Amino acid sequence: MNCPICSNEMKLGKIRARAGGGLFWLPNYEEVKYTVSNNIIEKHSGIVIVDSNEIKVSHPAHVCAKCRKIIMDY
């Protein structure tokens, strides 16, 4: 899928929640089985979206209910 903003190829993956707080994205081909550190997430080609130590608990995001896409900055 191409990014609607810059037209570059987007990577398919999943957004996961971390016990104790935080969100991260992992490519579909990667898996982490337990509560993990930022270093482990990044070692598995993941991106930390919300750090577990952040106080900020909301991030701006745009959603299209029709095509079920979410675009957010992290």
Side-chain angles (χ1 to χ4, degrees), residues 4-5 8 12-13 16-17 20 23 29-31 36 43-44 48-50 54 56 58 60-61 64-65 68 71 73:
I5 298 168
N8 285 333
L12 182 59
R16 309 243 339 241
L23 294 174
Y29 57 85
E30 291 287 351
E31 186 65 38
V36 294
K43 185 177 180 178
H44 287 271
V48 176
I49 298 170
V50 178
E54 273 189 24
K56 184 178 178 182
S58 67
C64 176
R68 301 178 56 90
I71 298 177
D73 292 332

Side-chain angles (χ1 to χ4, degrees), residues 16-36:
R16 309 243 339 241
R18 179 167 37 185
L23 294 174
F24 61 97
W25 175 91
L26 279 181
N28 274 344
Y29 57 85
E30 291 287 351
E31 186 65 38
V32 291
K33 297 182 183 199
Y34 304 101
T35 302
V36 294

Side-chain angles (χ1 to χ4, degrees), residues 55-73:
I55 294 176
K56 184 178 178 182
V57 293
S58 67
H59 286 271
H62 291 85
V63 64
C64 176
K66 182 178 179 181
C67 62
R68 301 178 56 90
K69 302 289 183 241
I70 295 174
I71 298 177
M72 63 184 280
D73 292 332

Side-chain angles (χ1 to χ4, degrees), residues 1-19:
M1 174 179 166
N2 290 336
C3 175
I5 298 168
C6 68
S7 298
N8 285 333
E9 183 72 20
M10 295 177 76
K11 295 179 181 177
L12 182 59
K14 53 200 169 263
I15 294 177
R16 309 243 339 241
R18 179 167 37 185

